[in-house]
Amino acid sequence: MKAAVLYEPGKPLVVEDIKIAPPKAGEVRVKVAANGCCHSDLHVMTGDMRMPLPIVLGHEGAGIVTEVGPGVASVKEGDHVVLSFSPVCGYCYYCTEGNPHLCETRPKKMGTLLDGTTRLAKNGTEIFHFAFTASFAEETVVPESCAIKIREDMPLDRACFVGCGTMTGVGAALNTAKVQPGTTVAVIGCGGVGLNVIQGAAVAGARQIIAIDLLPKKLDLAKTFGATHFVNPSQDDAFKAVMELTGGRGVDYAFEVISTAKTIELAFKMTARRGTCTIVGVSPESARITLNPNIFTMMEKRLIGSFYGSTRPRIDMPRLVDMYMEKKIKIDELVSRTCTLDDVNEAYDLLKQGEVARSVVKFF
Ligand SMILES: [Zn+2]
Ligand SMILES: [Zn+2]
């Protein structure tokens, strides 16, 4: 089958034929229909995020189940699935208390399936799976808990975004920060995930949603996703603008979706007393932030992080699919272009240039 393989950071992905082995116990083979071009793969391509190589990237996929290994009960051949990149065991402390995205049994070893081996190879050399999904490929084998069954009338080239960007952004607002009706929100960074934080806050009933980004085109899109006010830091001081818009109080919820120390500190600064500042993006390993601890005490501000929108995949992903089908959340507007796997490098070149929305690789 055809897959996009990363052999060396800084080099383009090689689209080539590789071998895929059948699913073992507790695994599911999926014919990939579509995969979104998310930023996190780019971190591996540039070497900012270290992974074993060679590796098949792709973690924003959806497709159709073609085969299940022994013991698989939650999906069967023909089921439509979104691929989750966070396997869950269902019985550890965090799975049981309702936070399966923090599952304790996730293996420490990167790039393999749960048993520590891979199903991908070329000429006898093993090829690793990125994020359990490896969905820049015509087919993939994933742990059962990463194949989330969805309704069949959902277009798969839209469903794939529920596997990362939509879940991460909408989930950060609804599940992690739990934005309340009538409140004020600021979102720093209006890329694919930031736009989803904005629509999550809008769904939650926030009264004022301030979008902050350097690119006017992104601020235009932010309006489509429900932002009510717009700040471009190349023209205005973002902190001052947010304070003016909120009567000098700051926002009840700030979200940082860029992941630089400077913007995290800015997000925390514009958070109101007793407000919550949520870090959504992933920073380079070496990043450090500097904050005055007295602000936590004197103002009761909270600083929290959000991983994968605090997803409970089997609840939240089918729910987001329903919300899309009922026109309560948007996905189409996030997709700026559709391409084939052969064009995957070009899609990432565009993303690097600050392309507004995402490309989706469509397999069928
Ligand atoms: Zn992603
Ligand atoms: Zn668990």
mmCIF file of all heavy atoms in Angstrom, residues 150-177:
data_model
loop_
_atom_site.group_PDB
_atom_site.id
_atom_site.type_symbol
_atom_site.label_atom_id
_atom_site.label_comp_id
_atom_site.label_asym_id
_atom_site.label_seq_id
_atom_site.Cartn_x
_atom_site.Cartn_y
_atom_site.Cartn_z
ATOM 1 N N ILE A 150 -18.436 6.071 13.966
ATOM 2 C CA ILE A 150 -19.291 7.250 13.751
ATOM 3 C C ILE A 150 -20.406 6.901 12.760
ATOM 4 O O ILE A 150 -20.342 5.862 12.094
ATOM 5 C CB ILE A 150 -18.491 8.455 13.209
ATOM 6 C CG1 ILE A 150 -17.745 8.068 11.918
ATOM 7 C CG2 ILE A 150 -17.519 8.987 14.253
ATOM 8 C CD1 ILE A 150 -17.290 9.255 11.097
ATOM 9 N N ARG A 151 -21.385 7.787 12.644
ATOM 10 C CA ARG A 151 -22.498 7.545 11.720
ATOM 11 C C ARG A 151 -22.010 7.584 10.267
ATOM 12 O O ARG A 151 -21.079 8.316 9.935
ATOM 13 C CB ARG A 151 -23.611 8.563 11.973
ATOM 14 C CG ARG A 151 -23.156 9.993 11.876
ATOM 15 C CD ARG A 151 -24.142 10.939 12.527
ATOM 16 N NE ARG A 151 -25.162 11.406 11.583
ATOM 17 C CZ ARG A 151 -26.075 12.330 11.891
ATOM 18 N NH1 ARG A 151 -26.101 12.883 13.113
ATOM 19 N NH2 ARG A 151 -26.963 12.710 10.997
ATOM 20 N N GLU A 152 -22.700 6.821 9.418
ATOM 21 C CA GLU A 152 -22.196 6.636 8.053
ATOM 22 C C GLU A 152 -22.559 7.760 7.102
ATOM 23 O O GLU A 152 -22.018 7.826 5.995
ATOM 24 C CB GLU A 152 -22.678 5.288 7.511
ATOM 25 C CG GLU A 152 -21.924 4.161 8.183
ATOM 26 C CD GLU A 152 -22.332 2.777 7.738
ATOM 27 O OE1 GLU A 152 -23.002 2.637 6.684
ATOM 28 O OE2 GLU A 152 -21.985 1.817 8.460
ATOM 29 N N ASP A 153 -23.481 8.645 7.512
ATOM 30 C CA ASP A 153 -23.805 9.761 6.609
ATOM 31 C C ASP A 153 -22.852 10.942 6.789
ATOM 32 O O ASP A 153 -22.960 11.944 6.111
ATOM 33 C CB ASP A 153 -25.270 10.209 6.782
ATOM 34 C CG ASP A 153 -25.613 10.569 8.221
ATOM 35 O OD1 ASP A 153 -24.792 10.305 9.138
ATOM 36 O OD2 ASP A 153 -26.709 11.126 8.441
ATOM 37 N N MET A 154 -21.881 10.800 7.697
ATOM 38 C CA MET A 154 -20.875 11.858 7.897
ATOM 39 C C MET A 154 -19.801 11.733 6.815
ATOM 40 O O MET A 154 -19.167 10.681 6.691
ATOM 41 C CB MET A 154 -20.236 11.681 9.280
ATOM 42 C CG MET A 154 -19.070 12.618 9.567
ATOM 43 S SD MET A 154 -19.652 14.310 9.820
ATOM 44 C CE MET A 154 -18.101 15.170 10.137
ATOM 45 N N PRO A 155 -19.554 12.808 6.035
ATOM 46 C CA PRO A 155 -18.491 12.717 5.023
ATOM 47 C C PRO A 155 -17.136 12.479 5.700
ATOM 48 O O PRO A 155 -16.766 13.190 6.641
ATOM 49 C CB PRO A 155 -18.518 14.095 4.343
ATOM 50 C CG PRO A 155 -19.787 14.752 4.777
ATOM 51 C CD PRO A 155 -20.211 14.116 6.064
ATOM 52 N N LEU A 156 -16.399 11.476 5.222
ATOM 53 C CA LEU A 156 -15.146 11.102 5.892
ATOM 54 C C LEU A 156 -14.056 12.166 5.727
ATOM 55 O O LEU A 156 -13.167 12.276 6.568
ATOM 56 C CB LEU A 156 -14.670 9.738 5.379
ATOM 57 C CG LEU A 156 -15.553 8.559 5.847
ATOM 58 C CD1 LEU A 156 -15.227 7.293 5.061
ATOM 59 C CD2 LEU A 156 -15.399 8.324 7.346
ATOM 60 N N ASP A 157 -14.157 12.970 4.644
ATOM 61 C CA ASP A 157 -13.148 14.029 4.481
ATOM 62 C C ASP A 157 -13.441 15.230 5.378
ATOM 63 O O ASP A 157 -12.723 16.226 5.363
ATOM 64 C CB ASP A 157 -13.006 14.447 3.016
ATOM 65 C CG ASP A 157 -14.272 15.047 2.444
ATOM 66 O OD1 ASP A 157 -15.342 14.957 3.093
ATOM 67 O OD2 ASP A 157 -14.209 15.611 1.339
ATOM 68 N N ARG A 158 -14.500 15.143 6.155
ATOM 69 C CA ARG A 158 -14.775 16.128 7.209
ATOM 70 C C ARG A 158 -14.578 15.470 8.577
ATOM 71 O O ARG A 158 -14.085 16.075 9.525
ATOM 72 C CB ARG A 158 -16.206 16.675 7.094
ATOM 73 C CG ARG A 158 -16.440 17.448 5.795
ATOM 74 C CD ARG A 158 -15.531 18.657 5.724
ATOM 75 N NE ARG A 158 -15.680 19.461 4.526
ATOM 76 C CZ ARG A 158 -14.863 19.432 3.479
ATOM 77 N NH1 ARG A 158 -13.847 18.586 3.460
ATOM 78 N NH2 ARG A 158 -15.041 20.219 2.441
ATOM 79 N N ALA A 159 -14.953 14.203 8.666
ATOM 80 C CA ALA A 159 -14.825 13.452 9.923
ATOM 81 C C ALA A 159 -13.378 13.425 10.412
ATOM 82 O O ALA A 159 -13.114 13.456 11.616
ATOM 83 C CB ALA A 159 -15.323 12.020 9.731
ATOM 84 N N CYS A 160 -12.420 13.409 9.464
ATOM 85 C CA CYS A 160 -11.015 13.300 9.872
ATOM 86 C C CYS A 160 -10.625 14.441 10.822
ATOM 87 O O CYS A 160 -9.833 14.228 11.747
ATOM 88 C CB CYS A 160 -10.097 13.222 8.657
ATOM 89 S SG CYS A 160 -10.150 14.627 7.550
ATOM 90 N N PHE A 161 -11.191 15.619 10.635
ATOM 91 C CA PHE A 161 -10.809 16.758 11.480
ATOM 92 C C PHE A 161 -11.269 16.577 12.937
ATOM 93 O O PHE A 161 -10.693 17.157 13.852
ATOM 94 C CB PHE A 161 -11.342 18.073 10.892
ATOM 95 C CG PHE A 161 -10.663 18.405 9.592
ATOM 96 C CD1 PHE A 161 -11.234 18.056 8.381
ATOM 97 C CD2 PHE A 161 -9.412 19.000 9.583
ATOM 98 C CE1 PHE A 161 -10.583 18.311 7.186
ATOM 99 C CE2 PHE A 161 -8.756 19.264 8.395
ATOM 100 C CZ PHE A 161 -9.340 18.919 7.188
ATOM 101 N N VAL A 162 -12.308 15.763 13.109
ATOM 102 C CA VAL A 162 -12.760 15.453 14.467
ATOM 103 C C VAL A 162 -11.668 14.659 15.209
ATOM 104 O O VAL A 162 -11.580 14.703 16.437
ATOM 105 C CB VAL A 162 -14.103 14.668 14.410
ATOM 106 C CG1 VAL A 162 -14.496 14.125 15.770
ATOM 107 C CG2 VAL A 162 -15.203 15.553 13.836
ATOM 108 N N GLY A 163 -10.793 13.996 14.446
ATOM 109 C CA GLY A 163 -9.710 13.226 15.049
ATOM 110 C C GLY A 163 -8.591 14.077 15.634
ATOM 111 O O GLY A 163 -7.782 13.588 16.418
ATOM 112 N N CYS A 164 -8.509 15.370 15.258
ATOM 113 C CA CYS A 164 -7.511 16.225 15.916
ATOM 114 C C CYS A 164 -8.013 17.652 16.119
ATOM 115 O O CYS A 164 -8.434 18.006 17.199
ATOM 116 C CB CYS A 164 -6.166 16.236 15.188
ATOM 117 S SG CYS A 164 -4.969 17.258 16.082
ATOM 118 N N GLY A 165 -7.960 18.485 15.067
ATOM 119 C CA GLY A 165 -8.178 19.927 15.244
ATOM 120 C C GLY A 165 -9.499 20.293 15.907
ATOM 121 O O GLY A 165 -9.533 21.101 16.838
ATOM 122 N N THR A 166 -10.589 19.688 15.450
ATOM 123 C CA THR A 166 -11.904 20.041 15.985
ATOM 124 C C THR A 166 -12.030 19.586 17.437
ATOM 125 O O THR A 166 -12.475 20.347 18.308
ATOM 126 C CB THR A 166 -13.014 19.426 15.108
ATOM 127 O OG1 THR A 166 -12.808 19.870 13.758
ATOM 128 C CG2 THR A 166 -14.394 19.833 15.574
ATOM 129 N N MET A 167 -11.587 18.350 17.695
ATOM 130 C CA MET A 167 -11.656 17.816 19.065
ATOM 131 C C MET A 167 -10.791 18.639 20.010
ATOM 132 O O MET A 167 -11.214 18.991 21.117
ATOM 133 C CB MET A 167 -11.177 16.349 19.052
ATOM 134 C CG MET A 167 -11.301 15.629 20.384
ATOM 135 S SD MET A 167 -13.005 15.348 20.865
ATOM 136 C CE MET A 167 -13.208 16.521 22.185
ATOM 137 N N THR A 168 -9.579 18.945 19.579
ATOM 138 C CA THR A 168 -8.642 19.668 20.438
ATOM 139 C C THR A 168 -9.167 21.058 20.783
ATOM 140 O O THR A 168 -9.098 21.493 21.930
ATOM 141 C CB THR A 168 -7.272 19.769 19.726
ATOM 142 O OG1 THR A 168 -6.819 18.443 19.461
ATOM 143 C CG2 THR A 168 -6.248 20.497 20.572
ATOM 144 N N GLY A 169 -9.705 21.757 19.791
ATOM 145 C CA GLY A 169 -10.146 23.136 20.000
ATOM 146 C C GLY A 169 -11.494 23.229 20.705
ATOM 147 O O GLY A 169 -11.623 23.887 21.747
ATOM 148 N N VAL A 170 -12.497 22.552 20.157
ATOM 149 C CA VAL A 170 -13.833 22.617 20.767
ATOM 150 C C VAL A 170 -13.767 22.008 22.172
ATOM 151 O O VAL A 170 -14.355 22.531 23.127
ATOM 152 C CB VAL A 170 -14.889 21.893 19.888
ATOM 153 C CG1 VAL A 170 -16.235 21.852 20.582
ATOM 154 C CG2 VAL A 170 -15.014 22.574 18.525
ATOM 155 N N GLY A 171 -13.009 20.912 22.301
ATOM 156 C CA GLY A 171 -12.871 20.252 23.604
ATOM 157 C C GLY A 171 -12.183 21.134 24.636
ATOM 158 O O GLY A 171 -12.522 21.087 25.827
ATOM 159 N N ALA A 172 -11.205 21.936 24.212
ATOM 160 C CA ALA A 172 -10.522 22.821 25.164
ATOM 161 C C ALA A 172 -11.522 23.789 25.784
ATOM 162 O O ALA A 172 -11.469 24.080 26.989
ATOM 163 C CB ALA A 172 -9.395 23.586 24.471
ATOM 164 N N ALA A 173 -12.454 24.287 24.973
ATOM 165 C CA ALA A 173 -13.451 25.238 25.487
ATOM 166 C C ALA A 173 -14.524 24.530 26.317
ATOM 167 O O ALA A 173 -14.872 24.970 27.415
ATOM 168 C CB ALA A 173 -14.097 25.999 24.323
ATOM 169 N N LEU A 174 -15.055 23.408 25.787
ATOM 170 C CA LEU A 174 -16.195 22.752 26.452
ATOM 171 C C LEU A 174 -15.771 21.828 27.590
ATOM 172 O O LEU A 174 -16.356 21.859 28.670
ATOM 173 C CB LEU A 174 -17.010 21.945 25.430
ATOM 174 C CG LEU A 174 -17.713 22.730 24.321
ATOM 175 C CD1 LEU A 174 -18.520 21.782 23.444
ATOM 176 C CD2 LEU A 174 -18.617 23.822 24.885
ATOM 177 N N ASN A 175 -14.749 20.994 27.349
ATOM 178 C CA ASN A 175 -14.386 19.988 28.351
ATOM 179 C C ASN A 175 -13.353 20.494 29.352
ATOM 180 O O ASN A 175 -13.483 20.249 30.546
ATOM 181 C CB ASN A 175 -13.777 18.745 27.673
ATOM 182 C CG ASN A 175 -14.780 17.990 26.829
ATOM 183 O OD1 ASN A 175 -15.966 18.218 26.924
ATOM 184 N ND2 ASN A 175 -14.299 17.087 26.006
ATOM 185 N N THR A 176 -12.296 21.134 28.860
ATOM 186 C CA THR A 176 -11.202 21.491 29.761
ATOM 187 C C THR A 176 -11.539 22.752 30.549
ATOM 188 O O THR A 176 -11.610 22.725 31.776
ATOM 189 C CB THR A 176 -9.880 21.712 28.987
ATOM 190 O OG1 THR A 176 -9.721 20.694 28.017
ATOM 191 C CG2 THR A 176 -8.691 21.707 29.938
ATOM 192 N N ALA A 177 -11.743 23.872 29.843
ATOM 193 C CA ALA A 177 -11.993 25.143 30.537
ATOM 194 C C ALA A 177 -13.443 25.238 31.013
ATOM 195 O O ALA A 177 -13.759 25.981 31.926
ATOM 196 C CB ALA A 177 -11.659 26.314 29.619
#
